Amino acid sequence: MEERTIRLDLCSSRKEKPKTQQLEFGRVFTDHMFIMDYSDELGWNDPRIVPYQPLSIDPSAMVFHYGQSVFEGLKAYLTPNGEAQLFRPEKNFHRLNRSNSRLCIPPIDEEFAIKAIQQLVALEKDWIPDAEGTSLYIRPFIISTEPYLGVAPSRHYKFIIILSPVGAYYKEGINPIKIAVENQYVRAVTGGTGEAKTGGNYASSLKAQESVAGKGFAQVLWLDGVERKYVEEVGSMNVFFKINGEVVTPALNGSILEGVTRNSVIQLLNHWNVPIVERKISMEEVYQAHQDGVLEEAFGAGTAAVVSPIGQLTWNDESLIINDAKTGNVAKKLYDTLTGIQYGRVDDPFNWVVKVEENCEMGLRASV
Amino acid sequence: MEERTIRLDLCSSRKEKPKTQQLEFGRVFTDHMFIMDYSDELGWNDPRIVPYQPLSIDPSAMVFHYGQSVFEGLKAYLTPNGEAQLFRPEKNFHRLNRSNSRLCIPPIDEEFAIKAIQQLVALEKDWIPDAEGTSLYIRPFIISTEPYLGVAPSRHYKFIIILSPVGAYYKEGINPIKIAVENQYVRAVTGGTGEAKTGGNYASSLKAQESVAGKGFAQVLWLDGVERKYVEEVGSMNVFFKINGEVVTPALNGSILEGVTRNSVIQLLNHWNVPIVERKISMEEVYQAHQDGVLEEAFGAGTAAVVSPIGQLTWNDESLIINDAKTGNVAKKLYDTLTGIQYGRVDDPFNWVVKVEENCEMGLRASV
């Protein structure tokens, strides 16, 4: 049992914080960041909080060539009485280690990573914005840094956590968005990396996104890569359809990301006795449900946007208007409850919230 | 028509060069590198040759999170009379721009990129090793550097060329290698990024590679991601089978990399009147050909290894020994001819070779 202390190197002057109404997503970063190194010889070592600064990385580092990288996304929220809290961070680090496994990256100590976030967020608490819908976005990521051009797992990595005060992900907020069903490009396929949160999945999605962005669509809806028939996910969110009183979401199949918000939505629906089923669902079935007048709601769910109602779904140049392009009752209740729990405004029956300790011990110790 | 000059910032002292017999692949880099920046406002700008050095990149740079990167691989060879030359570099930069298109990266000026390589290689000519099978590996790559966590094409990039003196890619040289057919993991699928040379394809391949490396296999043979039936490529090479006198290679289908060596092999076989066909070929057909005694040769083809005979192909725990695990005549002749042309030892009937100008003008100008 080794004791691990986070070394501190604090910056001498603080940056100016952006005005709340000017907050975008992921453009401004706080004063400090967390870093930890990995080498085959030392394992994960030298955890430290240092001033936010550029990384100095060899041009032959594997991350630039062979894309061996993983990341997570979560948020810190300010409660009405000024406390900082996290939402289910253990789910993120559990998933990070699953992504690590798929990408041949050595696992991290999940408990230690959460403590590192606690300490970093406590230090940067002044950066958590307090306006409605704003939060401090937390981006843990791992990159491969061995200076070597062979195609093989790297023997050096960096695990980094950066923080960014953010406004709402969609400018539209909880207003319904327009989604285009993607027929040409494929995000992921079983046997690939679709259930891992790794850079390549996002790089491959850009082309489809670009092709519809000019037409007023916020995201694309991905179909499976084999039959091009079954719904997988929406852009960077999982997707749900309410059909004839029952909520349906695509079952996890190896090519769909296992979202933390997805899991929370399922638990809440079960808690409320709203029928929810995870199964294969084809685009044809969604289309038919709309034709039959029983497609009552559709919405995406993810950390960045929480819950995003889908007001219009365009497939092969035919546009389905869902719920009169208005936010549905289930989406609204999920959004209100999830954000209510996240911001500490309503009860937390599942113990999802993790408080950030005000006086987080600077000489943090964790077993490794 | 703008004139573009490559700025020079030469290092004051040269590094020690590795001994020829100690050369590995991609571990040692030369004294200088080429860099050019891109911004939406300026386009590609400030081309420069500078001392090889770490890159200073913001931790929020998109390449670390969303994998938007592409690369190429080619080599500079030393001829018997001491001249440096390249092999079909225009093919690499044509492909780089196709990769750019798929990854939403702005195109580069292909002609200018080749001139940049010429100038860099001329400057580093002393680094080209002269022993049999050695060369100076050239790695052009583009990374997305905008400091922004939104999932969207970056608005800043760096195009970089680094050089590495290399020995043979496989320690076995032209000796036959063992390959395992991959049934669990998938490299790419139509609609994905398989025909682009982008990091994510290589990141996703590591797990399969790792699972067979301990069992003595050099690489895996990938099957298609839809039916898991058709041969796609071998590790980082295209693949060829000689069946009953005819050479067969998988047709380009959107998920297979269009190799420069693949193209050269096809041209050479046509030139020699050896039957060569590009078509779908199933693993079942390869297996059956072996059972029938007509699978005469199998080999991979790629820049790093040139031509690699496959002596053993293992599929579902059954091992096919091909050509008594010896190098076949076609593979040998292709290897000898390709390396002969590359090293300037034999005639170059296709004008594939591009000489590196000895006194490459330092104030290089190109139209952009």
Side-chain angles (χ1 to χ4, degrees):
Chain A
M1 193 88 93
E2 185 194 327
E3 280 186 350
R4 185 181 276 191
T5 304
I6 297 182
R7 182 160 64 82
L8 285 179
D9 171 14
L10 301 186
C11 57
S12 48
S13 68
R14 293 286 193 130
K15 293 184 238 179
E16 198 176 335
K17 294 173 183 65
K19 293 202 174 63
T20 294
Q21 61 271 31
Q22 287 166 352
L23 282 176
E24 293 183 70
F25 183 88
R27 289 223 180 262
V28 169
F29 299 90
T30 68
D31 294 300
H32 299 91
M33 63 186 189
F34 171 87
I35 308 192
M36 181 161 67
D37 300 318
Y38 178 91
S39 69
D40 266 6
E41 303 76 34
L42 299 175
W44 286 110
N45 70 89
D46 194 15
R48 57 205 186 269
I49 287 174
V50 298
Y52 187 92
Q53 62 192 284
L55 305 172
S56 176
I57 301 190
D58 198 274
S60 68
M62 295 176 113
V63 66
F64 296 137
H65 305 270
Y66 306 129
Q68 202 192 1
S69 68
V70 295
F71 70 93
E72 275 299 327
L74 65 163
K75 289 173 173 174
Y77 309 87
L78 213 56
T79 67
N81 53 9
E83 290 176 317
Q85 58 186 32
L86 310 172
F87 183 74
R88 311 187 78 186
E90 70 286 356
K91 296 285 283 182
N92 291 95
F93 287 102
H94 194 54
R95 183 172 64 187
L96 187 66
N97 268 342
R98 288 203 307 279
S99 298
N100 281 338
S101 170
R102 180 63 183 84
L103 275 297
C104 299
I105 295 173
I108 58 155
D109 177 335
E110 298 173 24
E111 205 181 321
F112 179 73
I114 292 170
K115 288 181 178 169
I117 282 187
Q118 292 241 7
Q119 187 167 345
L120 183 63
V121 170
L123 179 67
E124 305 288 65
K125 190 170 171 237
D126 290 352
W127 280 93
I128 311 178
D130 59 3
E132 178 69 30
T134 65
S135 58
L136 187 66
Y137 184 78
I138 301 167
R139 169 56 59 91
F141 64 106
I142 300 177
I143 53 174
S144 49
T145 53
E146 185 180 355
Y148 174 43
L149 294 185
V151 179
S154 177
R155 296 182 302 192
H156 305 147
Y157 300 89
K158 282 185 189 296
F159 172 48
I160 299 172
I161 305 170
I162 56 177
L163 307 177
S164 171
V166 297
Y169 190 82
Y170 291 114
K171 295 196 185 87
E172 301 89 340
I174 178 71
N175 286 323
I177 55 174
K178 293 182 187 180
I179 298 287
V181 179
E182 177 59 47
N183 287 316
Q184 183 183 358
Y185 298 106
V186 170
R187 176 186 170 275
V189 69
T190 310
T193 56
E195 65 183 345
K197 224 165 157 66
T198 182
N201 295 341
Y202 297 80
S204 74
S205 79
L206 296 174
K207 190 79 176 177
Q209 180 67 26
E210 188 181 64
S211 72
V212 303
K215 299 174 195 157
F217 296 101
Q219 305 251 327
V220 298
L221 185 146
W222 299 104
L223 301 182
D224 77 283
V226 173
E227 299 185 62
R228 307 286 189 108
K229 216 170 125 178
Y230 295 99
V231 171
E232 296 237 315
E233 55 186 272
V234 158
S236 48
M237 300 184 287
N238 295 112
V239 65
F240 295 78
F241 301 96
K242 181 161 171 260
I243 298 174
N244 213 3
E246 181 185 69
V247 180
V248 182
T249 193
L252 301 175
N253 60 358
S255 60
I256 294 175
L257 193 77
E258 191 178 342
V260 177
T261 311
R262 175 186 185 276
N263 177 283
S264 308
V265 162
I266 292 170
Q267 284 197 50
L268 280 173
L269 293 175
N270 276 323
H271 187 61
W272 296 334
N273 292 316
V274 174
I276 162 74
V277 56
E278 300 173 66
R279 65 168 168 85
K280 270 179 135 175
I281 178 167
S282 69
M283 194 50 219
E284 185 58 40
E285 181 184 345
V286 173
Y287 179 81
Q288 197 53 52
H290 184 263
Q291 294 304 96
D292 297 345
V294 292
L295 178 58
E296 296 153 1
E297 292 188 41
F299 56 88
T303 293
V306 193
V307 171
S308 272
I310 299 170
Q312 179 185 319
L313 191 57
T314 297
W315 185 38
N316 297 331
D317 297 325
E318 192 160 355
S319 287
L320 317 182
I321 304 298
I322 301 167
N323 193 36
D324 289 334
K326 294 193 185 103
T327 299
N329 292 337
V330 168
K332 183 71 168 60
K333 189 174 174 189
L334 284 165
Y335 181 85
D336 288 344
T337 308
L338 282 168
T339 55
I341 294 172
Q342 287 164 344
Y343 288 90
R345 292 187 303 250
V346 305
D347 270 356
D348 173 22
F350 304 101
N351 285 316
W352 280 340
V353 158
V354 173
K355 297 271 178 205
V356 174
E357 300 298 326
E358 270 295 332
N359 297 306
C360 188
E361 193 196 342
M362 286 301 163
L364 172 70
R365 281 159 192 181
S367 58
V368 289
Chain B
M1 193 91 90
E2 186 193 328
E3 281 187 350
R4 187 181 278 190
T5 303
I6 297 181
R7 180 160 66 84
L8 285 179
D9 172 13
L10 301 186
C11 58
S12 48
S13 68
R14 293 281 193 136
K15 292 184 240 179
E16 199 176 336
K17 294 174 182 65
K19 294 203 172 62
T20 294
Q21 61 271 30
Q22 288 166 352
L23 283 176
E24 293 183 69
F25 183 88
R27 289 221 180 262
V28 168
F29 300 91
T30 69
D31 294 301
H32 298 92
M33 62 187 188
F34 171 87
I35 308 192
M36 182 160 66
D37 300 317
Y38 178 91
S39 69
D40 266 7
E41 303 76 34
L42 300 175
W44 288 111
N45 70 89
D46 195 14
R48 57 204 185 270
I49 287 174
V50 298
Y52 187 93
Q53 61 192 282
L55 305 171
S56 176
I57 301 190
D58 198 274
S60 69
M62 294 176 116
V63 65
F64 296 137
H65 304 270
Y66 306 130
Q68 201 191 1
S69 68
V70 295
F71 70 93
E72 274 299 327
L74 65 164
K75 290 172 172 174
Y77 309 86
L78 214 55
T79 68
N81 53 8
E83 289 176 319
Q85 57 186 32
L86 309 172
F87 183 75
R88 311 187 78 186
E90 71 284 358
K91 297 285 282 181
N92 291 95
F93 288 101
H94 194 54
R95 183 172 63 186
L96 187 66
N97 268 342
R98 289 203 306 280
S99 299
N100 280 339
S101 171
R102 180 63 183 84
L103 274 297
C104 299
I105 295 174
I108 57 156
D109 178 335
E110 299 173 22
E111 205 181 322
F112 179 73
I114 293 170
K115 288 182 177 169
I117 281 187
Q118 292 242 8
Q119 188 167 344
L120 184 62
V121 170
L123 178 67
E124 305 288 65
K125 189 170 171 236
D126 290 351
W127 280 92
I128 311 179
D130 59 3
E132 177 69 30
T134 65
S135 58
L136 187 65
Y137 185 78
I138 302 168
R139 169 57 58 92
F141 63 106
I142 300 177
I143 53 174
S144 50
T145 53
E146 185 180 355
Y148 175 44
L149 294 184
V151 180
S154 178
R155 296 182 302 192
H156 305 147
Y157 300 89
K158 283 185 190 296
F159 172 48
I160 300 172
I161 305 171
I162 56 178
L163 307 177
S164 171
V166 297
Y169 190 81
Y170 292 114
K171 294 195 186 90
E172 300 91 340
I174 178 73
N175 286 323
I177 54 175
K178 293 183 187 178
I179 298 286
V181 179
E182 177 59 46
N183 287 317
Q184 183 183 357
Y185 297 107
V186 170
R187 177 186 169 275
V189 69
T190 310
T193 56
E195 66 184 344
K197 224 165 156 65
T198 182
N201 295 342
Y202 297 80
S204 74
S205 79
L206 296 174
K207 191 80 177 176
Q209 180 68 24
E210 188 182 64
S211 72
V212 302
K215 298 174 195 156
F217 297 101
Q219 304 250 331
V220 299
L221 185 146
W222 299 104
L223 301 182
D224 77 283
V226 172
E227 299 185 63
R228 307 287 189 106
K229 216 171 127 178
Y230 296 99
V231 170
E232 296 236 316
E233 54 187 271
V234 158
S236 48
M237 299 185 287
N238 295 112
V239 66
F240 294 79
F241 300 95
K242 180 160 171 260
I243 299 174
N244 212 4
E246 181 184 68
V247 180
V248 181
T249 193
L252 300 174
N253 61 358
S255 61
I256 293 176
L257 193 77
E258 191 177 343
V260 177
T261 311
R262 175 186 184 277
N263 179 282
S264 308
V265 162
I266 291 169
Q267 284 197 51
L268 280 173
L269 292 175
N270 278 322
H271 187 60
W272 296 334
N273 292 316
V274 175
I276 161 74
V277 56
E278 301 173 66
R279 64 169 168 85
K280 267 180 136 174
I281 177 167
S282 69
M283 195 48 221
E284 185 59 39
E285 180 183 345
V286 173
Y287 179 81
Q288 196 55 52
H290 183 265
Q291 295 303 97
D292 298 344
V294 292
L295 178 58
E296 295 153 1
E297 291 189 43
F299 55 88
T303 293
V306 194
V307 171
S308 272
I310 299 170
Q312 178 185 320
L313 191 56
T314 298
W315 186 39
N316 297 331
D317 297 325
E318 190 159 354
S319 287
L320 317 182
I321 304 299
I322 302 167
N323 194 35
D324 289 333
K326 294 192 185 106
T327 299
N329 292 337
V330 170
K332 184 71 169 59
K333 189 174 175 190
L334 285 165
Y335 181 86
D336 289 344
T337 307
L338 282 168
T339 55
I341 293 172
Q342 288 163 344
Y343 288 91
R345 291 188 303 251
V346 305
D347 270 356
D348 173 22
F350 304 101
N351 285 317
W352 282 339
V353 157
V354 173
K355 297 270 179 207
V356 174
E357 299 299 327
E358 270 294 335
N359 297 307
C360 188
E361 192 197 342
M362 285 301 162
L364 174 70
R365 281 159 193 182
S367 58
V368 289

